[in-house]
Amino acid sequence: MELAARVEPVPLPLEPGEHVASAATFTFHSAAITDGGRLLLWGDNSHGQLGIEASNKSEVGVSLRAVPLSGGTFASAVALGEHHTVVLTNASELLTFGHNERGQLGRMRGTTYDSFPAEAAWRGNANAHAAAAVPPAAPLAVAASAFFSAALDAAGHIFVWGDLPVARRTDRPQRRRGRAARSSAGSVT
């Protein structure tokens, strides 16, 4: 069996004594966060998903976005979409950059891309939350997929924005279509 590509370690531009604490990858770009909160991004940058002006690609570690990000802020978590990046900072900021055609940056929809890391409006309309009695809480985790992003807050609420996925309830059994299911006793249910 032949491998389609050769697998080799990626040499990251780490400082002496620095180690990778977490990593993420998606179709076209990859990220690593060091134990000091430095964010390393590499791969395709056609939509500014590396946090630098859009170009064709970046060599490993060329985009060093968190050295620090700004004012002593460091990356604590990262999630990657197909052409966008979501970063959670130690100051509970949720920064996004890259492709935004479907609103996955949590900013004004319709802007094709934004390579400048900026805070996402991940809680949506603040007035809607006040009416629904959902108090704002700090973000704890981030996630992303091809065309949407998500955040989990400290109160256990999940916020999703962009081209939303179809949700399916998992707290009840799925009905089978077609023939009736039989129980172990042999009766039709």
Side-chain angles (χ1 to χ4, degrees):
M1 175 192 273
E2 287 187 49
L3 294 176
R6 219 174 136 173
V7 178
E8 296 180 15
V10 176
L12 295 175
L14 299 173
E15 302 293 328
E18 187 177 44
H19 300 90
V20 172
S22 65
T25 190
F26 206 77
T27 309
F28 301 109
H29 66 302
S30 300
I33 298 176
T34 68
D35 51 5
R38 198 160 60 106
L39 178 62
L40 306 173
L41 294 157
W42 64 95
D44 178 67
N45 191 42
S46 58
H47 294 87
Q49 63 266 38
L50 302 183
I52 55 177
E53 189 59 40
S55 65
N56 191 22
K57 70 175 190 168
S58 170
E59 296 301 320
V60 173
V62 168
S63 175
L64 307 179
R65 287 297 323 159
V67 211
L69 284 167
S70 66
T73 302
F74 296 92
S76 59
V78 64
L80 305 177
E82 189 162 307
H83 290 291
H84 72 287
T85 302
V86 182
V87 179
L88 177 61
T89 71
N90 64 324
S92 296
E93 293 176 310
L94 211 150
L95 306 175
T96 59
F97 42 96
H99 195 238
N100 190 45
E101 187 176 339
R102 298 185 186 183
Q104 60 267 50
L105 297 185
R107 302 192 218 155
M108 182 187 299
R109 194 177 186 119
T111 304
T112 306
Y113 73 89
D114 190 349
S115 58
F116 183 73
E119 194 153 2
W122 63 280
R123 289 186 184 100
N125 183 344
N127 294 331
H129 291 292
V134 178
L140 294 180
V142 292
S145 190
F147 303 112
F148 68 90
S149 303
L152 169 69
D153 75 6
H157 301 112
I158 297 175
F159 296 84
V160 180
W161 60 94
D163 195 0
L164 302 179
V166 178
R168 185 180 80 154
R169 290 186 66 162
T170 58
D171 61 340
R172 59 184 167 177
Q174 297 296 310
R175 292 175 43 186
R176 293 185 185 181
R177 295 178 191 234
R179 293 189 290 178
R182 296 189 180 266
S183 71
S184 60
S187 63
V188 175
T189 56

